[in-house]
Amino acid sequence: MTSVRFVTRTRLCAAAVALLSLPALTACGAGPGDTAAAGARAAPADDPVAAVRKVDSVAALLPAGVREAGTLRVGSSIGSPPGAYYPNGPDKAPAGQDIDLTDAVAKVLGVRIRRQDASFESILPALGSGKYDVGTGNFGVTTERLKTIDFVTYINDGQGFAVRKGGPGLKTKVTDLTQLCGLTIGTGAGTTFEATLTAQRGVCAKAGRKPYDVKVYSENGASLTALQQGRIDVIMSTINGLRHQAAQPASRTAFLGEYHRLDVGFAFRKGSPLTKAFQAAVNQLIKDGTYARILDKWGTSASAIETSRINPPEHR
């Protein structure tokens, strides 16, 4: 099924402009011929989603109204590879692991996607209001979120840290947040990273050390710019995103390893009738090999799951 993309918000690209040579960043307003100049990472050419077909037994799990309408409204947070990004500028189609998985699920279910680009922190509240049927954006499954959101898992990612390569400060894997005492940490608004850092802010005082400071950014490019300019000491973000970023030499970042693993899933309003159909669709993709091919395409095979689950408990 062909995705229909509705971009309704103006993306803040000023922070990324200074780093347009970085392959990990999205091109900001680049035209069709400007991709190379803007430094956007080209999407892999293979298309494992192309061969996916509707599976009637799975599609039958959708509510009758959805089957009749034939569309689902998806709120997508589109930031950076490998999850979801704009390889050819925000006026072109997005790419990434989350994009491929969502499109593949839609094809199994026999529906079309109406994708709307939205800020990460706005999507979960909008599910409750009925603006979207589904949310994507590397949403980790947490105990707090499970109070108001239903999840259908599709990958195991989580929290990690990165620093500027060759810069001062941390050099080893973060296993305890007291290692961050006295440092300034950049992270995303409305994320599990922000929640973790806020909840544990008192650990430094208990250890008799200077507290860490947290700066929140709505754009991945802004946090990377801040790191490169020395305005923050560390970035806390997704394991896969930071690992991918560090693999791009021009980013000049070093990945400090995993801190906390989390299941990641499609997000729905609590009590949504869509969860069983999505779970069955993900499991169909795992069974027929499409899932493995998508993760291999985006270099995230280490985060593969064996089976999709609805609302699993948070990893401890």
Side-chain angles (χ1 to χ4, degrees):
M1 300 294 171
T2 301
S3 296
V4 180
R5 180 168 60 89
F6 295 87
V7 180
T8 61
R9 69 186 180 100
T10 301
R11 299 188 60 81
L12 175 63
C13 288
V17 169
L19 291 169
L20 285 177
S21 63
L22 299 187
L25 291 179
T26 299
C28 303
D34 299 332
T35 303
R41 177 187 183 274
D46 52 318
D47 186 6
V49 180
V52 178
R53 298 291 180 265
K54 179 181 178 182
V55 178
D56 290 338
S57 60
V58 178
L61 297 174
L62 286 170
V66 174
R67 293 199 306 272
E68 292 169 6
T71 60
L72 286 171
R73 300 162 300 162
V74 178
S76 294
S77 174
I78 299 176
S80 59
Y85 72 117
Y86 288 115
N88 301 306
D91 58 333
K92 303 295 183 181
Q97 165 200 277
D98 288 2
I99 303 300
D100 280 354
L101 285 172
T102 304
D103 288 348
V105 165
K107 292 183 76 171
V108 171
L109 295 175
V111 297
R112 295 170 66 241
I113 292 298
R114 295 175 51 133
R115 181 175 284 116
Q116 181 171 320
D117 182 356
S119 63
F120 180 92
E121 64 271 24
S122 72
I123 292 175
L124 298 186
L127 292 171
S129 70
K131 183 175 182 179
Y132 309 125
D133 300 306
V134 190
T136 64
N138 209 82
F139 289 108
V141 180
T142 67
T143 301
E144 187 63 28
R145 285 177 175 167
L146 284 170
K147 294 176 183 178
T148 56
I149 298 294
D150 281 341
F151 289 95
V152 172
T153 61
Y154 61 83
I155 202 167
N156 181 257
D157 195 347
Q159 305 173 335
F161 293 91
V163 294
R164 180 162 50 95
K165 188 175 291 184
L170 291 172
K171 303 293 184 185
T172 60
K173 178 178 179 179
V174 176
T175 58
D176 189 301
L177 293 186
T178 56
Q179 292 171 251
L180 305 176
C181 295
L183 301 179
T184 300
I185 309 146
T187 196
T191 61
T192 62
F193 322 116
E194 182 186 13
T196 295
L197 293 169
T198 300
Q200 299 297 319
R201 195 182 291 273
V203 297
C204 294
K206 290 180 181 178
R209 301 177 62 184
K210 182 180 178 180
Y212 55 71
D213 185 30
V214 179
K215 293 192 179 300
V216 177
Y217 300 90
S218 294
E219 298 286 334
N220 290 318
S223 60
L224 184 56
T225 300
L227 181 68
Q228 301 293 15
Q229 294 179 348
R231 290 184 282 114
I232 60 174
D233 302 299
V234 192
I235 289 177
M236 186 180 190
S237 190
T238 66
I239 293 168
N240 286 333
L242 293 176
R243 182 180 284 125
H244 179 278
Q245 180 178 275
Q248 315 305 314
S251 75
R252 307 193 311 277
T253 61
F255 178 54
L256 294 184
E258 302 175 9
Y259 175 69
H260 179 52
R261 279 275 175 177
L262 284 172
D263 287 311
V264 170
F266 295 105
F268 306 83
R269 65 174 174 81
K270 203 68 181 174
S272 170
L274 298 173
T275 55
K276 289 184 178 180
F278 266 70
Q279 180 192 32
V282 174
N283 284 331
Q284 172 64 32
L285 295 171
I286 292 172
K287 178 181 177 181
D288 68 22
T290 302
Y291 175 80
R293 289 191 290 274
I294 291 173
L295 268 58
D296 182 64
K297 171 182 176 180
W298 295 104
T300 56
S301 298
S303 289
I305 58 174
E306 294 184 358
T307 187
S308 176
R309 295 193 291 168
I310 297 174
N311 296 339
E314 180 180 352
H315 285 292
R316 295 299 182 187

